[in-house]
Amino acid sequence: MISDVRHLLQAGPFEPFAIITSSGHRYVVPSADHASINPGGNRVVIWFDDGAGITLSALHITAVEKLGTAKN
């Protein structure tokens, strides 16, 4: 799953996506600046607009879902 996250973060143009964990939580990544993979490749950090963040272990990432872009 980390390779999927890496691919989505590096894709151009960026498309928002969600990371789903084994606990069922769903974390939206609205831009490439909102997430990063640690150098060891075993954790993903997601930052939220309010300044908070969460670190997810690769072992608990069960799915990655593209959200697409809103079209007005």
Side-chain angles (χ1 to χ4, degrees), residues 46-54:
I46 302 172
W47 291 276
F48 306 111
D49 288 335
D50 65 0
I54 188 163

Side-chain angles (χ1 to χ4, degrees), residues 6-46:
R6 183 178 286 113
H7 176 75
L8 290 169
L9 287 172
Q10 295 173 347
F14 180 85
E15 289 186 52
F17 64 94
I19 296 174
I20 296 91
T21 64
S22 57
S23 65
H25 285 91
R26 189 173 184 270
Y27 300 97
V28 174
V29 180
S31 75
D33 292 335
H34 282 85
S36 182
I37 300 170
N38 77 321
N42 59 357
R43 298 201 189 299
V44 175
V45 179
I46 302 172

